Amino acid sequence: MGVQGLTGFVEERGVFFTELRVRDTKLVIDGSSLYHRLCFAPGADFRHGGDYGAFAAAVRDFFGILRSCRVAPFVVLDGGRGAEDRKLPTLRGRAAEQLRAAHGLSRGAGGCLAPLLTREAFVQALGRLGVPFVQCFAEADREIAALANSWGCPVLSLDSDFCVFDLAGGYCPLSHFQWESVRGGDGPQGCYVPARCFSVDRFCRHFGRLNKSLLPLFAVMNGNDYMDLAALEAFFSKVRLPRGCAAGKGGKHLRLQGLLNWLSQFAEPTEAVENVLKYLKKHQREEIRELLCISMEDYAPSDVNLEDFFQNGRYECEAARKANIPQWVLDAFTKGKLAPFIINALILRSTILRVQVENMQRPSAHSAALPIRQVIYGLLLRVSQNTEAASPSTQTHELPVVCEFDRCQKAIKKTFVQAASLPTDFCDDRFALDKLMEMSMSCRQMLLLETLGVKMSFLESIPSHLQLPVAVTCYWIHSSEPKVNLHQLKALLLMIVSGEVDRRNDDPVLHAEEDSIAYNEFLKWKEKKMQNNDFDLDAAHSFCQWQCCLQMGLYLNQLLCTPLSEPDLSSRLYTGTLVHRLYQELKSTPSVENLFILSPKMTQLYLLLLNTVES
């Protein structure tokens, strides 16, 4: 969520902020804002598909700084789109913006685009660091505000909606949270993070003692992620908005500040709404009243008690109950063990596939993973097509179909995808969604591996944490179009081995002298070769397909309650800049294949991976 133009407006006028030293406190963090902020750090690469190890290191550094300042973080993540799907037009608009950014990056222009697996890498990093976090059923803003108010602590975000909530501990924008410039304290209190805190009281005083209860009405009238501003154009075209003392800072915020000044004449929202309706035609008034009232509810206190979740692990949500989601699914979802993709497919029969920097002349990179998604839909909809969890417009006699929003050339288009018929062995009641947890691990593993077209006997010699990536790689080779070439395959496997070298070097238990020598030689090679930023669009498209296959392989593995170990994205499993460089080097210098020859174990691992995949 976000109020149109409000961030720019308050940033231009520093009078709404107070200086804050963040230490010795709880801190409720908007997880979506934080991972985008860390992902979009200066110098980050957005063209080659993501450097997840570097991103995970930034996450680790951030929470390390908080720990040094004795700040107790609690991360709250957005979940699915919600049963009413009111935000779909906004999300489609954002998908179109991301597509334009991806197209620009593919042609060498600047721009920012979060790599495909950023969220998954962030959730894994939180788990490994032991940072308490929750994934909400839908939009998290109200739950973030309620938790922060129950503790009286600040909210850390980059969402202007938190200027509208009345927060006891205030709202700290991430743009003013100087965690990389931590300072020592003047005495026993110790170090702190310099920050600025938005004051809703100062904001309201600036507009003639505007009543705080009117801020939700201001937000929906000015335009946010849920409100169609066109419905109120008749009001804005007729009313005479006062400019007041806030005018004179340029024309772009005149409507916003005029609306705030106009609202300041009213004591409470009901009176203000009635005065808005006077400017509309009589036949429109009831519809607009209902629209305004429903939209203002987005800023009302949440019924979800996140304090109970963080203390006792219980997440109780009326919307989730109404959706009739199996309890194990909701429990896994709130703990980040299932992705929003799963909940959206289950409740809405609709998913949005995130675009990457790929070849826009070819079919979407997500096409390669379509059969995996169809199996996921098959597992989900065997239950949902006959329960209230199905979309209200869906009749039980219809075939299970999911609406996917994906790239087609340079536009976001929707297509309808039929769920897969599960193999005969998997069609009994054991594979009903509410009973998946009760099924044997060997059965769940069989379905996963049949979907990926791999036998367990091929994977038994592979380290357990690499079995899923190797199975996905086998699937990728068979499913990609155009076909994967040998240089691309070898580059990908060398990249995976480099992550293993990195991991062993950081782990005192696994560390060996030969690994150190190989690691240092690898670092020298990287320093010498990584300055070259050559970019092959077709290779990029192929590696994007691999990430799509890995993402859906992860999701299917999670839905089947992890019959294979979950690979660690934060241990440099995928490093886009490196795999592109290795690919370019292999084309001209085949001896790069011997990059880790000084470590017999890593050489053996590379050959094992290559032989397994080629066989």
Side-chain angles (χ1 to χ4, degrees), residues 50-200:
D51 288 354
Y52 298 113
F55 170 70
V59 175
R60 188 168 59 246
D61 292 346
F62 177 85
F63 287 103
I65 290 294
L66 295 190
R67 190 165 50 250
S68 71
C69 297
R70 299 164 310 285
V71 173
F74 294 84
V75 176
V76 185
L77 285 155
D78 289 327
R81 282 152 43 191
E84 295 172 352
D85 207 14
R86 290 168 50 218
K87 202 171 174 178
L88 178 60
T90 298
L91 294 174
R92 290 185 69 177
R94 285 183 191 163
E97 289 173 12
Q98 290 162 359
L99 176 53
R100 286 190 288 274
H103 183 235
L105 286 162
S106 73
R107 301 177 67 187
C112 294
L113 183 72
L116 184 68
L117 299 173
T118 304
R119 183 191 176 98
E120 287 76 14
F122 182 67
V123 168
Q124 283 189 354
L126 294 178
R128 290 184 186 281
L129 294 169
V131 176
F133 75 95
V134 62
Q135 184 168 248
C136 296
F137 177 65
E139 183 98 34
D141 290 8
R142 294 171 62 214
E143 292 169 45
I144 288 171
L147 180 63
N149 278 337
S150 71
W151 285 338
C153 70
V155 167
L156 183 65
S157 179
L158 204 55
D159 183 338
S160 57
D161 275 316
F162 291 109
C163 296
V164 175
F165 289 101
D166 187 10
L167 298 170
Y171 158 49
C172 295
L174 270 160
S175 51
H176 294 293
F177 191 77
Q178 301 174 54
W179 66 276
E180 292 176 295
S181 304
V182 66
R183 294 177 192 167
D186 308 323
Q189 288 182 301
C191 59
Y192 63 89
V193 177
R196 301 181 80 195
C197 187
F198 176 82
S199 167
V200 72

Side-chain angles (χ1 to χ4, degrees), residues 405-423:
F405 292 92
D406 193 10
R407 179 187 68 79
C408 179
Q409 300 293 314
K410 297 174 192 172
I412 300 295
K413 298 284 179 69
K414 68 178 177 181
T415 55
F416 292 93
V417 173
Q418 189 172 332
S421 296
L422 299 179

Side-chain angles (χ1 to χ4, degrees), residues 14-33:
V15 295
F16 306 134
F17 292 95
T18 57
E19 300 299 318
L20 189 67
R21 295 182 174 188
V22 181
R23 62 184 165 199
D24 300 299
T25 182
K26 289 177 177 173
L27 183 66
V28 179
I29 299 174
D30 174 356
S32 301
S33 285

